[in-house]
Amino acid sequence: MANNSYSGVKNSMAETNHEGDFGCSLKELCNLMELRGTEGLHKIEESYGGVQGLCTRLKSSPVEGLSGHPSDIEKRKAAFGQNFIPPKKPKTFLQLVWEALQDVTLIILEVAAIVSLGLSFYKPPGADREHCGKGAGGVEDENESEAGWIEGAAILLSVICVVLVTAFNDWSKEKQFRGLQSRIEQEQKFSVVRGGQVIQIPVTEIVVGDIAQIKYGDLLPADGILIQGNDLKIDESSLTGESDHVKKTLDKDLMLLSGTHVMEGSGKMVVSAVGVNSQTGIIFTLLGAGEDDDDDDEEKEEKKKEKEKKKEKKTQDGAAMEMQPLKSEEGGDAEEKRKANLPKKEKSVLQGKLTKLAVQIGKAGLVMSAITVIILVVLFVVDTFWIQGLPWVKSCTPIYIQFFVKFFIIGVTVLVVAVPEGLPLAVTISLAYSVKKMMKDNNLVRHLDACETMGNATAICSDKTGTLTMNRMTVVQVYVADKHYKKVPEPELIPATIMDLLILGIGVNCAYTTKIMPPEKEGGLPRQVGNKTECALLGFALDLKRDYQAIRNEIPEEKLYKVYTFNSVRKSMSTVLKNADGSFRMFSKGASEILLKKCCKILTANGEPKLFRPRDREDMVKKVIEPMASEGLRTICLAYRDFPPSEGEPDWENENEILTSLTCVCVVGIEDPVRPEVPDAIRKCQRAGITVRMVTGDNINTARAIATKCGILQPGDDFLCLEGKEFNRRIRNEKGEIEQERIDKIWPKLRVLARSSPTDKHTLVKGIIDSTVAEQRQVVAVTGDGTNDGPALKKADVGFAMGIAGTDVAKEASDIILTDDNFSSIVKAVMWGRNVYDSISKFLQFQLTVNVVAVIVAFTGACITQDSPLKAVQMLWVNLIMDTFASLALATEPPTESLLLRKPYGRNKPLISRTMMKNILGHAVYQLTIIFTLLFAGEQIFDIDSGRNTPLNAPPSEHYTIVFNTFVMMQLFNEINARKIHGERNVFDGIFNNIIFCSIVLGTFIIQIVIVQFGGKPFSCVGLSIDQWLWCIFLGMGCLLWGQLISSIPTSRLKFLKTAGHGTQKEEIPDEELEDMDGLDEIDHAERELRRGQILWFRGLNRIQTQVMSSTWQEFLIMTCVCCSSNVPVLLRAFSME
């Protein structure tokens, strides 16, 4: 392989320094790890004399591990590298500035500003400005005419400001996500043996020669060679593409590779390669993880080529199969077809709605800006050359061009204000802020979409153990020696023979990684490490005044003859010991009703076994197991079996034969108390319109008792509690196939699914998601901790993995990790999700009001007075308030409990409700009335000179300054109104809880004072008197009073109001687009809308081209269309993709 030379060269420096200290080089180990199966086994035997020999060369001990001495660890890092794969370099601030500069509207503004600058310095020789028309002359002060350059310079400065703000936002966003990523990585720890002690260390600290303990559910952090294994099965599909689990044994296959998942069993391995030298690291290096990505264009080309190849492949027979994963051609195609037919998971629904809305508003803005420019040019030409009857004089050309540039700048400014490029920013800020805050609420968000989706959740399928309960298990009842004890009995009450069997069975038949540790604080509870059910049994042994550790010291893990580890199919665990006389003894533990069926004997009060008939079993179930279960206890049966030497060695692979004829030792009842905060959290969910279902592997009576304590089952409710078997019987037809109609009859009433397998969980989640019986498609959240929960977590709209009890596989498949494994943290996630949706709606309500008013004012003002009342620089400032500041202020509102008092919105809810539309239009009416009154009568009201119809380069007027200032004041006070979107009257409620909001409103107000009083020519402002300021503020405050008036009008009366911001339904997506999505598991609505928006712009362009119009206008319109179509920064991405 190509990587041999790479790894050798990469680390040749290290080799010369430290490899002499060890008996094998880095290159040797890298080459060794490329071998598979028996090939690797032979190589280890030949070169090192077995695994023991390799450990010796690496100066490590299979039992004691490494010494853990810092100098030894550093030496190993120097010789064999660190367990760290360097991430891709982040973009620098300058790169982000350059990207922000690519926004086409900004480029147009820059060009226009530069042209304006150039023309302002150009003095036509001997040209008398008076001859060029009314608008050109009339400037008495020579200094004023020379100050014409200021507007161009101010526009350039504003553009720089906008670019820097955008780049800074992108930079801080990237920084935040890198921080999140490193937090996830830091939290990942792994068990290794150092100095004879098992300790947990961060995966980055693992070095070559470490003895790592591996168990069910682990994601292997480095390459290694197996030195001891129990029933070990690995999923290597991430590296090989093979979906079958690979069995690892000492006599067939020793090679363990980083990035693969342990699906079953446990064991130990000696680490042989880490970081960039491990198999995953080599692949990452070949993919260039450390370098910049290639251009998107190249990626597109690749994808196109791939598609063509696929088409060719279907017509050819599968001859060249070398580079494919090991699947048959036919199988691959069948898989693809199956994937295409499956309902796809939808993501970025909110982003999709926003992008669609932004594209629609962008189109409207484009039309308005084009019309504005056309009207301005036509009015100027008609007025100058027709009404004034002036000829076109050559010396006046630069002045006329200056006018046209000014009109063009006004048009572009209308477009800048019309297009809500702040929308994507608002979503990003809102999600990033929520993600950061959710960390404090014990939600570690891995996928941003999950945050938004959680707000729409209608169903939560939760595990019982650890999520609803405390996951601190203790044995509280025992049935042993023919007697049912309601509390742990005194040791002397149990016959010695039974006691010995019991303690030996518990000691060896619990994973050796599970143990009871002394409490961290004095007087605290002992710490439970590992599997909590096994911890309860070990605690039981300690309660009986016996030491399980002494047994483990006597029989170390290497001496266990055979281990059948626990899995969801067996629902039991068994360990086989070989005795000195050649006989075998097997200890088993597992779910009582399953294991008792396999018992044919039971130990009596005198310690002797007696026959255990089916009738005895039924008695025991009724008198012992059901009473325990009805108190919410988990019941576990402990049993054993002897294999006499006369029968020879049994066939250990024939599990059904092995796990029969057991002798029952005892049955224990394990208590796992309900978390005190869970009943309240479940009540909140139910009030918020979310159905909570419990899906557990426990006994149905235990599950029912816990569900009642939690409040999932309410007395008098019509609900279903089913076991996995019964559930499967009801949902399958005669052929054993699952039918959606059958699931639809069950899921609405189902509250508890007990004795369920991970497959049942996946079936239930899929059934609820695919169901069409409810009005809206159900949005399902699922919790999971086991390796086999992966499919259900992936299928769910939001998958929650347990941070403490969860396996690495479950965490990989999840969207959010619950760092405290607590159900009440899920309720916090719902609150944050709903808050994101409301924050976006608040921002939309505010921004669209400004959009409507600013565009109408600029358009009408331009048409009537041949100039925009709001100048280009002022518009850019308003745009900054609207976009960046408002998105920051409104997107960072903290969530309140009131969010949980309403039902979920559902995925099809439009972004702008009728109440919001009422607010937008209502406030627009007030603002337009005030602005137009000031514009056309302001000079009489304030007794000042009129600012209308001033010549080119005239000084700023008090009149237009008052119009601008009042406009900004109204936006500031309307920002307070926008905090409420459901028609609430008290808009100040909780305003001081959001420091960011208060700071931004105050900051904007102070900057506005500076701009008006000291902005001068660049901002087209004149300083105002105190009286004028008070009037501006008073008119602004009128927005608050007007808001109260709007709230009084019932929305139900305004039938003419329409909603806006609908997403595209899956059914509305054209077939050809669905075909393009064939290979994908999910529909990304945001990406889809981007592409669609882009296609529409070009279709519009073609339509314009085909219309018959004068060629000059045609060129101008096409240029405007092409330039402005991608104004929405989101659209830029779509353009770059093409």
Side-chain angles (χ1 to χ4, degrees):
M1 276 173 81
N3 45 300
N4 293 358
S5 54
Y6 157 75
S7 20
V9 172
K10 176 114 174 165
N11 292 280
S12 55
M13 290 285 290
E15 279 181 39
T16 51
N17 298 339
H18 285 289
E19 287 199 349
D21 298 344
F22 301 99
C24 44
S25 70
L26 172 66
K27 192 171 182 182
E28 273 176 47
L29 289 174
C30 282
N31 291 343
L32 174 65
M33 289 320 295
E34 276 168 17
L35 304 174
R36 300 282 175 271
T38 49
E39 218 181 330
L41 193 65
H42 293 322
K43 176 75 177 167
I44 291 168
E45 288 295 336
E46 282 169 29
S47 305
Y48 309 105
V51 182
Q52 186 67 50
L54 180 63
C55 288
T56 310
R57 291 224 198 162
L58 289 171
K59 298 187 178 173
S60 179
S61 154
V63 181
E64 295 290 311
L66 298 178
S67 65
H69 198 278
S71 60
D72 178 45
I73 302 296
E74 284 311 312
K75 210 181 277 182
R76 288 171 190 277
K77 282 182 182 174
F80 302 108
Q82 278 185 287
N83 197 22
F84 172 71
I85 296 168
K88 200 179 107 179
K89 287 192 194 88
K91 285 180 179 163
T92 62
F93 186 71
L94 285 174
Q95 281 173 311
L96 292 169
V97 167
W98 176 247
E99 276 180 20
L101 276 168
Q102 310 301 310
D103 184 350
V104 183
T105 25
L106 291 182
I107 293 171
I108 296 170
L109 269 179
E110 285 157 25
V111 170
I114 289 164
V115 172
S116 167
L117 260 176
L119 289 170
S120 67
F121 290 121
Y122 175 71
K123 288 276 170 290
D128 187 354
R129 292 176 74 97
E130 292 294 338
H131 294 304
C132 300
K134 272 190 300 186
V139 180
E140 294 84 16
D141 189 351
E142 189 59 35
N143 289 338
E144 285 295 350
S145 66
E146 281 175 9
W149 62 273
I150 290 177
E151 187 179 38
I155 291 175
L156 281 180
L157 202 65
S158 309
V159 167
I160 290 166
C161 264
V162 171
V163 164
L164 288 175
V165 167
T166 312
F168 179 73
N169 276 322
D170 287 345
W171 177 78
S172 56
K173 180 179 77 182
E174 184 142 331
K175 189 171 160 231
Q176 234 170 16
F177 291 139
R178 283 192 179 266
L180 175 69
Q181 198 57 39
S182 66
R183 159 100 194 252
I184 292 173
E185 282 163 13
Q186 280 162 15
E187 290 210 336
Q188 209 181 352
K189 294 199 166 165
F190 213 77
S191 297
V192 297
V193 181
R194 284 193 182 170
Q197 294 293 313
V198 178
I199 57 166
Q200 291 248 316
I201 60 168
V203 288
T204 50
E205 290 301 310
I206 292 173
V207 291
V208 170
D210 255 324
I211 303 298
Q213 286 200 339
I214 55 175
K215 61 182 189 307
Y216 157 83
D218 281 343
L219 174 70
L220 297 186
D223 291 353
I225 288 156
L226 187 70
I227 48 180
Q228 181 260 319
N230 303 319
D231 207 13
L232 198 60
K233 286 182 187 164
I234 308 281
D235 174 8
E236 294 185 345
S237 58
S238 55
L239 286 180
T240 63
E242 278 288 0
S243 56
D244 293 340
H245 297 167
V246 183
K247 199 164 187 179
K248 299 287 178 181
T249 55
L250 292 168
D251 54 351
K252 284 192 184 144
D253 190 353
L254 298 169
M255 302 308 199
L256 297 166
L257 307 173
S258 58
T260 59
H261 294 119
V262 182
M263 300 309 280
E264 222 172 283
S266 62
K268 280 184 190 172
M269 70 173 190
V270 57
V271 175
S272 57
V274 293
V276 289
N277 303 308
S278 68
Q279 291 302 299
T280 306
I282 289 165
I283 290 170
F284 265 95
T285 312
L286 290 174
L287 290 174
E291 293 138 36
D292 288 342
D293 277 350
D294 288 343
D295 287 335
D296 285 339
D297 306 348
E298 285 179 33
E299 274 179 37
K300 278 273 175 185
E301 279 302 309
E302 286 294 313
K303 281 187 182 173
K304 269 187 190 170
K305 281 178 191 168
E306 264 177 46
K307 268 196 178 175
E308 280 163 26
K309 273 186 196 169
K310 265 190 189 174
K311 281 179 188 169
E312 280 171 36
K313 227 191 245 170
K314 283 181 185 175
T315 55
Q316 291 172 2
D317 58 346
M321 297 261 308
E322 259 178 78
M323 290 303 288
Q324 279 183 279
L326 303 167
K327 281 183 186 170
S328 68
E329 185 82 321
E330 211 176 304
D333 276 357
E335 184 75 13
E336 268 178 38
K337 279 178 194 163
R338 199 169 61 76
K339 262 195 176 176
N341 295 333
L342 283 177
K344 291 179 168 63
K345 186 170 170 178
E346 299 175 69
K347 71 172 200 176
S348 309
V349 177
L350 176 64
Q351 295 266 30
K353 287 179 186 175
L354 281 170
T355 311
K356 188 174 179 181
L357 191 67
V359 170
Q360 288 167 344
I361 297 169
K363 282 194 270 183
L366 184 64
V367 170
M368 290 294 278
S369 63
I371 293 171
T372 308
V373 174
I374 292 167
I375 289 175
L376 283 170
V377 170
V378 169
L379 280 175
F380 173 77
V381 169
V382 168
D383 181 55
T384 308
F385 302 118
W386 190 13
I387 295 171
Q388 292 179 48
L390 293 172
W392 184 297
V393 184
K394 195 178 176 186
S395 59
C396 289
T397 304
I399 291 169
Y400 294 147
I401 291 175
Q402 244 175 314
F403 268 108
F404 290 140
V405 169
K406 178 184 165 187
F407 298 151
F408 187 65
I409 288 176
I410 291 169
V412 174
T413 322
V414 170
L415 180 65
V416 169
V417 177
V419 172
E421 65 266 52
L423 279 185
L425 182 68
V427 181
T428 307
I429 289 175
S430 185
L431 287 174
Y433 172 76
S434 301
V435 165
K436 203 172 175 186
K437 291 288 184 188
M438 280 170 81
M439 268 191 191
K440 290 180 183 164
D441 285 338
N442 302 308
N443 284 286
L444 186 62
V445 181
R446 293 181 71 245
H447 302 137
L448 268 187
D449 293 326
C451 186
E452 140 207 343
T453 311
M454 212 41 223
N456 286 326
T458 55
I460 298 173
C461 294
S462 173
D463 280 350
K464 174 180 77 68
T465 308
T467 315
L468 301 173
T469 61
M470 292 173 80
N471 204 16
R472 187 178 176 84
M473 303 206 188
T474 42
V475 172
V476 290
Q477 293 187 24
V478 191
Y479 179 86
V480 65
D482 284 343
K483 193 159 183 208
H484 184 176
Y485 295 94
K486 292 285 188 177
K487 61 183 200 318
V488 177
E490 291 302 316
E492 50 272 15
L493 296 174
I494 299 173
T497 48
I498 296 181
M499 179 68 95
D500 292 341
L501 274 169
L502 190 57
I503 303 303
L504 179 61
I506 290 173
V508 298
N509 195 30
C510 286
Y512 278 43
T513 49
T514 302
K515 42 187 169 297
I516 305 283
M517 306 284 279
E520 281 175 344
K521 291 179 190 147
E522 219 175 306
L525 291 166
R527 279 184 301 140
Q528 297 188 336
V529 179
N531 181 296
K532 296 299 186 277
T533 308
E534 293 184 336
C535 284
L537 294 173
L538 296 177
F540 175 48
L542 295 174
D543 290 343
L544 293 173
K545 313 285 188 290
R546 291 297 193 93
D547 181 15
Y548 67 87
Q549 194 55 49
I551 289 165
R552 289 184 170 184
N553 295 341
E554 193 185 320
I555 309 169
E557 204 169 357
E558 296 76 41
K559 284 195 183 172
L560 302 179
Y561 191 76
K562 170 86 181 157
V563 179
Y564 298 96
T565 51
F566 180 90
N567 65 29
S568 57
V569 180
R570 287 189 190 121
K571 291 231 185 288
S572 68
M573 173 180 174
S574 305
T575 301
V576 182
L577 298 178
K578 187 172 185 179
N579 300 325
D581 62 356
S583 65
F584 298 94
R585 173 168 281 176
M586 177 179 77
F587 290 100
S588 293
K589 68 168 194 291
S592 53
E593 65 266 44
I594 291 170
L595 219 54
L596 282 174
K597 283 179 187 166
K598 298 179 178 176
C599 289
C600 64
K601 290 177 187 166
I602 186 164
L603 296 179
T604 58
N606 59 6
E608 292 299 318
K610 74 161 188 185
L611 217 56
F612 187 60
R613 294 182 296 272
R615 192 174 65 246
D616 301 328
R617 186 171 63 242
E618 283 161 23
D619 281 352
M620 193 165 177
V621 167
K622 277 193 188 128
K623 290 177 183 167
V624 178
I625 292 167
E626 283 181 3
M628 280 186 185
S630 62
E631 289 176 44
L633 304 185
R634 169 181 282 189
T635 58
I636 300 286
C637 173
L638 302 176
Y640 77 99
R641 178 182 176 182
D642 282 328
F643 297 91
S646 55
E647 291 177 12
E649 187 166 345
D651 174 10
W652 298 116
E653 295 307 311
N654 187 352
E655 270 185 58
N656 293 337
E657 278 301 311
I658 299 291
L659 209 63
T660 50
S661 310
L662 302 178
T663 303
C664 174
V665 179
C666 74
V667 172
V668 295
I670 296 175
E671 183 184 43
D672 185 10
V674 171
R675 288 179 183 267
E677 63 275 23
V678 162
D680 184 46
I682 286 176
R683 256 196 311 280
K684 283 179 186 169
C685 280
Q686 289 162 343
R687 200 169 55 221
I690 301 167
T691 308
V692 182
R693 293 179 176 84
M694 183 201 283
V695 183
T696 177
D698 247 343
N699 176 317
I700 190 155
N701 296 322
T702 309
R704 194 185 271 120
I706 298 285
T708 309
K709 283 182 188 173
C710 293
I712 292 174
L713 300 181
Q714 303 281 357
D717 275 4
D718 181 17
F719 57 76
L720 272 177
C721 292
L722 295 179
E723 279 197 336
K725 272 186 186 170
E726 175 63 12
F727 173 70
N728 273 297
R729 193 185 62 72
R730 290 197 188 190
I731 62 169
R732 293 175 190 274
N733 60 18
E734 298 73 32
K735 294 177 186 169
E737 295 162 344
I738 297 169
E739 287 185 354
Q740 185 63 44
E741 301 80 54
R742 288 171 183 252
I743 297 179
D744 287 345
K745 286 177 189 165
I746 292 173
W747 74 258
K749 287 185 182 179
L750 184 70
R751 293 294 176 274
V752 174
L753 185 59
R755 280 282 175 254
S756 65
S757 67
T759 318
D760 296 336
K761 193 189 232 179
H762 181 260
T763 306
L764 176 65
V765 171
K766 186 178 180 300
I768 298 176
I769 289 176
D770 295 349
S771 175
T772 50
V773 290
E775 279 176 52
Q776 292 186 333
R777 136 127 153 73
Q778 295 282 301
V779 177
V780 184
V782 167
T783 69
D785 54 7
T787 303
N788 295 336
D789 287 332
L793 289 169
K794 266 200 159 28
K795 178 66 193 170
D797 295 290
V798 181
F800 285 92
M802 302 299 136
I804 302 165
T807 59
D808 293 343
V809 181
K811 288 175 189 172
E812 283 285 303
S814 69
D815 301 296
I816 298 177
I817 297 171
L818 292 178
T819 52
D820 63 346
D821 288 12
N822 194 337
F823 184 84
S824 58
S825 300
I826 298 176
V827 181
K828 299 255 177 66
V830 172
M831 271 169 67
W832 278 108
R834 292 186 174 192
N835 193 54
V836 165
Y837 218 92
D838 279 11
S839 297
I840 303 302
S841 296
K842 288 170 189 174
F843 173 68
L844 266 175
Q845 179 174 302
F846 171 71
Q847 184 167 31
L848 293 184
T849 311
V850 192
N851 272 20
V852 168
V853 175
V855 171
I856 292 175
V857 166
F859 175 73
T860 318
C863 295
I864 295 171
T865 66
Q866 286 192 36
D867 188 8
S868 170
L870 300 171
K871 300 292 181 279
V873 179
Q874 294 174 351
M875 288 274 222
L876 284 171
W877 164 235
V878 169
N879 205 37
L880 202 65
I881 299 176
M882 275 175 17
D883 284 351
T884 310
F885 296 163
S887 60
L888 201 59
L890 292 167
T892 52
E893 286 272 325
T896 58
E897 288 280 335
S898 61
L899 288 166
L900 295 174
L901 298 175
R902 61 167 175 79
K903 298 278 181 272
Y905 281 146
R907 294 188 153 221
N908 308 338
K909 182 192 178 289
L911 281 171
I912 302 167
S913 63
R914 289 175 65 217
T915 306
M916 285 168 65
M917 195 61 91
K918 175 185 78 176
N919 293 340
I920 291 167
L921 297 177
H923 284 292
V925 166
Y926 171 79
Q927 291 188 17
L928 287 169
T929 308
I930 298 292
I931 294 291
F932 284 134
T933 306
L934 289 176
L935 187 59
F936 297 111
E939 66 271 34
Q940 287 111 338
I941 297 169
F942 291 102
D943 191 23
I944 46 176
D945 293 335
S946 168
R948 295 190 303 280
N949 300 321
T950 52
L952 197 67
N953 297 332
S957 65
E958 264 183 311
H959 181 196
Y960 271 21
T961 305
I962 290 173
V963 171
F964 165 59
N965 199 26
T966 307
F967 179 68
V968 172
M969 287 302 120
M970 288 195 291
Q971 303 324 319
L972 270 187
F973 285 103
N974 193 32
E975 200 164 336
I976 298 170
N977 271 329
R979 291 183 66 248
K980 303 294 173 192
I981 52 172
H982 299 299
E984 300 95 327
R985 281 195 176 279
N986 184 5
V987 291
F988 292 99
D989 181 34
I991 192 166
F992 295 114
N993 295 342
N994 189 355
I995 302 300
I996 300 176
F997 183 89
C998 299
S999 316
I1000 282 175
V1001 170
L1002 192 67
T1004 311
F1005 184 64
I1006 291 166
I1007 297 171
Q1008 180 64 16
I1009 294 173
V1010 173
I1011 285 174
V1012 170
Q1013 296 305 106
F1014 311 105
K1017 180 79 179 173
F1019 279 95
S1020 308
C1021 287
V1022 193
L1024 299 179
S1025 66
I1026 293 287
D1027 284 2
Q1028 289 167 336
W1029 262 104
L1030 289 172
W1031 272 108
C1032 293
I1033 294 169
F1034 170 72
L1035 292 171
M1037 283 178 75
C1039 276
L1040 294 174
L1041 300 169
W1042 185 256
Q1044 294 300 312
L1045 186 68
I1046 292 172
S1047 299
S1048 309
I1049 304 167
T1051 313
S1052 52
R1053 294 279 176 87
L1054 307 171
K1055 301 281 185 210
F1056 61 89
L1057 287 178
K1058 295 276 183 286
T1059 55
H1062 294 266
T1064 306
Q1065 301 306 309
K1066 209 174 350 179
E1067 299 76 46
E1068 296 169 28
I1069 299 175
D1071 291 343
E1072 62 264 25
E1073 277 190 55
L1074 278 173
E1075 277 173 30
D1076 285 348
M1077 297 178 195
D1078 259 9
L1080 305 174
D1081 291 329
E1082 48 196 6
I1083 298 172
D1084 189 328
H1085 284 273
E1087 285 297 326
R1088 204 194 137 270
E1089 290 299 345
L1090 277 177
R1091 283 196 212 98
R1092 196 167 162 277
Q1094 178 195 356
I1095 292 163
L1096 284 176
W1097 288 119
F1098 287 117
R1099 281 194 190 146
L1101 186 87
N1102 291 339
R1103 217 169 288 136
I1104 291 169
Q1105 280 176 312
T1106 52
Q1107 283 169 3
V1108 183
M1109 48 172 73
S1110 86
S1111 61
T1112 320
W1113 281 115
Q1114 187 176 330
E1115 279 165 28
F1116 170 72
L1117 269 176
I1118 288 173
M1119 186 189 80
T1120 316
C1121 203
V1122 172
C1123 292
C1124 305
S1125 64
S1126 56
N1127 172 49
V1128 193
V1130 198
L1131 282 174
L1132 279 174
R1133 275 176 32 224
F1135 272 91
S1136 67
M1137 283 195 297
E1138 277 299 310

